Amino acid sequence: MNSPPTFCRATCVHCLRPQATCLCTLARPTAHRTEVLVLQHPQEQRQAKNSVALLRLSLAHCEVVVGERFAPAALQALLHRPGRDTRLLYPDVPAAPAPPAPGMTEAPLRLVVIDATWRKSLRMLLEHPTLAALPRLSLDAPAPTRYRAIRAARRADQVSTLEATVQALAMLEGPSFDAAPLLDAFGCFVAGVAARQQPRASEGHA
């Protein structure tokens, strides 16, 4: 007997999303000096609501590495680049206290961002001492998120990975970093996801 045919959805080669939800038209090339490394939990890679694909398309110096556990040598190589100081975008929390902050230098920066739920990001931090030892950068008063329209948050100050990264770059680079076009594009992304979710929600109440 012949096996039934397997149908695969066409995928965009640039944003790696299904063609029906391609993000390429939303990309906003945004000039920045700081390198960005996103350590993405594997479960986030499969999330249609995830904001990292749009971030990667818009930032020229943005590297996304998917994984939950990293070998020490491989992680060390990812975190540090010659001639750059590395900072981890993560708050100082009792479960994983931030190390003493070093003095700022003139060296260009490499910003490390963990893309995961709060619980999974904390686990990744605790399981990787090299990651936990990085100097921290935290957002003292993050701007209100647009993400709540499509994804619930446990805390009022939680924002999407894209929003947190953009706000951190604005802190580091000052007026030379223009975040507005990318944040506007993110708003369009959220509105699109919300619109696609609405018919399913209506069917559930029928």
Side-chain angles (χ1 to χ4, degrees):
M1 293 178 62
N2 293 329
S3 300
T6 300
F7 297 99
C8 297
R9 292 187 297 178
T11 301
C12 173
V13 297
H14 299 292
C15 68
L16 307 180
R17 295 292 186 99
Q19 290 287 1
T21 57
C22 175
L23 296 177
C24 292
T25 58
L26 291 178
R28 297 295 181 269
T30 304
H32 64 111
R33 301 186 306 273
T34 304
E35 287 184 353
V36 176
L37 168 66
V38 180
L39 299 179
Q40 185 177 58
H41 192 281
Q43 290 183 354
E44 292 298 317
Q45 186 185 29
R46 299 187 291 270
Q47 277 278 358
K49 307 170 188 176
N50 188 270
S51 63
V52 166
L54 180 57
L55 186 70
R56 178 181 60 80
L57 289 172
S58 301
L59 299 183
H61 311 297
C62 179
E63 179 183 4
V64 180
V65 178
V66 179
E68 184 175 4
R69 293 181 176 85
F70 300 89
L75 183 60
Q76 178 75 13
L78 280 173
L79 298 181
H80 299 284
R81 290 289 188 267
R84 287 190 176 264
D85 283 347
T86 305
R87 298 287 184 274
L88 173 66
L89 180 58
Y90 206 87
D92 184 4
V93 293
M104 292 297 292
T105 70
E106 296 298 320
L109 292 178
R110 184 168 176 82
L111 182 67
V112 179
V113 182
I114 302 175
D115 181 46
T117 63
W118 175 252
R119 181 174 60 85
K120 289 183 173 64
S121 72
L122 183 58
R123 180 183 297 173
M124 288 173 68
L125 196 64
L126 294 174
E127 291 181 349
H128 298 88
T130 307
L131 189 60
L134 289 176
R136 304 271 178 92
L137 176 70
S138 60
L139 304 176
D140 295 330
T145 182
R146 309 186 196 196
Y147 215 27
R148 293 186 192 281
I150 59 173
R151 197 167 187 177
R154 292 176 57 190
R155 302 181 348 182
D157 60 347
Q158 285 181 326
V159 298
S160 70
T161 299
L162 182 146
E163 291 168 310
T165 304
V166 164
Q167 291 177 44
L169 291 175
M171 285 174 54
L172 293 170
E173 302 190 3
S176 66
F177 181 78
D178 184 8
L182 182 48
L183 290 175
D184 288 344
F186 177 66
C188 293
F189 164 72
V190 170
V193 174
R196 289 192 294 274
Q197 287 179 334
Q198 192 147 14
R200 290 200 295 269
S202 301
E203 291 167 7
H205 292 292

